[in-house]
Amino acid sequence: MAMIFNQERWERLIKSLDFVTFRNFAKHYLQEYYGTEEVIVTDGTGDGGNDAKVIVRGVDEKVNIQFTVQEKDLKTKIFEDVAKAKENVDRYGFQPTLMFFYSGTVSESKQKEYRREAQVQYRINLDIYDRKHLASDIEHMPALRDWTLRTTGMREADLDVRVPLDSRNKALYEILTGGGVVTDVKVHFILAFICYFLHEKEHAGTPEISEYVNNKLSTDLGSRIIKDYMQKSDAFECRSGQYYLTAGTRERIDAIKSDADEQIIHLHENVKDYLENNGLGELEPDDIIEALVGLYTEYFDRSLANAADVRSDNREKAAVGILKDKIRSKYPDMVEAALSKATKDILEISAESEYLAKWSTTQMFTQMFKANTLEEYVTNSVMDVYLDTQVLLPLVCHLSKPEAEYHDVQYEAVKILWETLRQFSKSVKICTTTEYLEEMGAHLWDAVNVCRLERLIDFDSVGS
């Protein structure tokens, strides 16, 4: 069961803190930030006007620190503290930096404006730690997180979203399906797992990477093979025998994970809203999502089974039954019509979730890989390729006179596309729509009329 960090809820919690609690929150933040227990709250007395002092291994860091929950005249407050920081730099040799902790929010544009003014007018580097900044950091600061939960009496479940999903699966899906032309799907699949492993691990040698891949995919690949795969990929770089993700690959996976977490939270909120608005508030969104995951997994498992095998249908019905049973467990007297409607509504909510489909697809890919059927599945799958009018028109021209030469980029591209599709004719089904055919027919009819007109008029004599 995954816990997904919900920044918005943590921001609201930070906003609700009174000054004393927020001051202690900032103190614990500084302790974890600097890796020291010696952070002394000074309340701005006898310290050059600072609100705290940081001691690291017996040495005063001489950093300017201010705390506030004040919303009125915030800019005035900030620049009063910037002026104090400037005085501390000049008189006491402090660092030319001000760490300004604020329980409210300062927009990016305002922060940029204030930073520029502080730098230009006071030569002070202004760092504003507003609730958005602090909530973002707390995800990676376990000690501060635990202190905040203990102090406020909140539970982790009240702040984070607890769902039976893992953003790893969407990341794997995106890595696997985002690699362009895949000539060896098994290699690409292995590389997807390695990418995610190094994203979490930072760096590793080939023996450790090989062990991870073999455990995850039930394979028996040696370090030499893994090394060869990675050396041929531009997703990795090797330094001193350790493999790292390239900066571009890491950024891409960061973006995928962030997007996945947002989708999980969105699904959770949609299910929760539906239950509360339809008299089903006794049901836990987590339990419903767990049932949906089981249903989706069964659906994709079914795609691997023989279509004529009636047991596949039975499994799918059983999966839908799990969802109904979840609802019935809290509402045993619900009539069948209402139960079916609730089930249908929840399934429609899940159908809007791109995440669930990709999550289940990744599960399917992994199981197929373990069963050594992934390559066979991809090889034998028939893909529909739809051609629109912009492709159909040059294609008709090419097929009507294949020997003709017409030096146009689009025309040449369509010729190459057609030859490529012919090479994969066993695994590709070429399709179009009635609308595209009608549009193409209209264009061809116009072209015929232009040709007739050209025969009647000597355009060269008319001039350009």
Side-chain angles (χ1 to χ4, degrees), residues 36-243:
T36 179
E37 290 296 316
E38 292 190 79
V39 175
I40 304 164
V41 174
T42 56
D43 291 328
T45 57
D47 61 337
N50 267 344
D51 285 342
K53 180 185 292 187
V54 177
I55 310 294
V56 179
R57 292 185 290 277
V59 178
D60 186 347
E61 288 292 300
K62 289 194 173 183
V63 59
N64 296 287
I65 300 168
Q66 297 291 337
F67 312 135
T68 190
V69 297
Q70 169 186 322
E71 294 185 13
K72 187 177 180 181
D73 298 326
L74 180 64
K75 182 177 180 180
T76 301
K77 164 65 176 167
I78 289 175
F79 280 94
E80 285 175 354
D81 291 337
V82 168
K84 290 180 190 177
K86 172 63 173 171
E87 184 177 356
N88 288 338
V89 172
D90 295 340
R91 295 183 60 183
Y92 306 114
F94 272 53
Q95 297 181 39
T97 298
L98 170 60
M99 300 178 74
F100 187 88
F101 289 83
Y102 175 47
S103 63
T105 304
V106 183
S107 69
E108 286 294 329
S109 61
K110 285 296 182 184
Q111 288 198 39
K112 186 176 180 180
E113 174 191 331
Y114 297 163
R115 283 196 299 267
R116 180 182 178 279
E117 188 172 336
Q119 179 61 47
V120 171
Q121 296 188 19
Y122 297 88
R123 294 293 186 267
I124 293 295
N125 300 316
L126 173 62
D127 293 328
I128 297 177
Y129 293 79
D130 66 356
R131 68 181 184 185
K132 187 180 290 293
H133 186 150
L134 295 168
S136 176
D137 285 353
I138 202 173
E139 181 181 6
H140 309 291
M141 303 178 85
L144 176 63
R145 185 186 182 104
D146 291 344
W147 178 88
T148 306
L149 293 173
R150 288 196 310 273
T151 302
T152 60
M154 299 291 286
R155 298 176 305 150
E156 195 170 29
D158 296 327
L159 295 168
D160 295 337
V161 177
R162 176 177 172 271
V163 292
L165 298 170
D166 186 346
S167 59
R168 170 179 312 191
N169 289 284
K170 183 174 186 292
L172 285 171
Y173 178 93
E174 298 289 356
I175 297 167
L176 176 64
T177 58
V181 178
V182 181
T183 55
D184 189 337
V185 67
K186 292 184 72 172
V187 172
H188 200 62
F189 195 75
I190 290 167
L191 290 176
F193 270 84
I194 295 173
C195 280
Y196 205 93
F197 174 63
L198 290 179
H199 183 266
E200 293 185 324
K201 183 73 176 175
E202 187 72 28
H203 62 85
T206 48
E208 188 178 1
I209 295 171
S210 178
E211 181 182 2
Y212 171 82
V213 171
N214 289 332
N215 287 339
K216 286 293 181 182
L217 298 176
S218 302
T219 58
D220 188 22
L221 297 172
S223 296
R224 185 184 297 274
I225 296 175
I226 294 292
K227 183 177 181 180
D228 183 58
Y229 288 166
M230 289 190 293
Q231 286 179 338
K232 292 178 180 177
S233 170
D234 59 4
F236 313 100
E237 56 187 19
C238 183
R239 302 195 297 268
S240 302
Q242 294 284 299
Y243 280 90

Side-chain angles (χ1 to χ4, degrees), residues 198-364:
L198 290 179
H199 183 266
E200 293 185 324
K201 183 73 176 175
E202 187 72 28
H203 62 85
T206 48
E208 188 178 1
I209 295 171
S210 178
E211 181 182 2
Y212 171 82
V213 171
N214 289 332
N215 287 339
K216 286 293 181 182
L217 298 176
S218 302
T219 58
D220 188 22
L221 297 172
S223 296
R224 185 184 297 274
I225 296 175
I226 294 292
K227 183 177 181 180
D228 183 58
Y229 288 166
M230 289 190 293
Q231 286 179 338
K232 292 178 180 177
S233 170
D234 59 4
F236 313 100
E237 56 187 19
C238 183
R239 302 195 297 268
S240 302
Q242 294 284 299
Y243 280 90
Y244 299 76
L245 293 178
T246 63
T249 304
R250 179 166 292 280
E251 288 176 5
R252 180 179 167 220
I253 300 177
D254 283 340
I256 291 169
K257 278 179 57 55
S258 176
D259 176 62
D261 288 346
E262 288 181 9
Q263 289 186 26
I264 291 171
I265 292 171
H266 184 65
L267 173 62
H268 187 277
E269 296 296 338
N270 284 347
V271 171
K272 181 181 177 182
D273 289 346
Y274 175 82
L275 297 176
E276 291 178 350
N277 294 332
N278 289 273
L280 300 173
E282 292 184 29
L283 288 166
E284 289 289 337
D286 299 334
D287 293 336
I288 296 300
I289 294 175
E290 187 174 15
L292 289 171
V293 169
L295 189 151
Y296 270 71
T297 302
E298 287 293 344
Y299 175 82
F300 280 96
D301 281 348
R302 182 172 180 255
S303 70
L304 304 180
N306 188 328
D309 185 354
V310 69
R311 290 173 297 177
S312 300
D313 293 316
N314 291 338
R315 285 207 312 272
E316 189 173 358
K317 289 176 182 177
V320 176
I322 293 173
L323 181 56
K324 285 189 173 182
D325 288 342
K326 291 284 186 184
I327 300 173
R328 195 180 283 116
S329 66
K330 296 291 184 181
Y331 299 94
D333 298 328
M334 181 179 286
V335 298
E336 184 61 30
L339 181 63
S340 296
K341 182 183 184 304
T343 304
K344 180 176 178 292
D345 291 343
I346 292 171
L347 288 175
E348 287 179 354
I349 292 173
S350 72
E352 296 174 358
S353 171
E354 173 192 6
Y355 184 88
L356 271 178
K358 291 187 175 182
W359 186 91
S360 302
T361 304
T362 303
Q363 295 291 87
M364 181 186 76

Side-chain angles (χ1 to χ4, degrees), residues 396-427:
V396 168
C397 295
H398 169 60
L399 294 178
S400 62
K401 288 191 176 182
E403 72 284 353
E405 291 189 8
Y406 180 56
H407 300 294
D408 175 79
V409 174
Q410 183 176 352
Y411 181 77
E412 293 297 332
V414 169
K415 284 174 60 177
I416 294 171
L417 172 65
W418 179 249
E419 293 305 318
T420 303
L421 292 175
R422 286 182 60 191
Q423 292 177 27
F424 295 94
S425 58
K426 291 183 179 179
S427 57

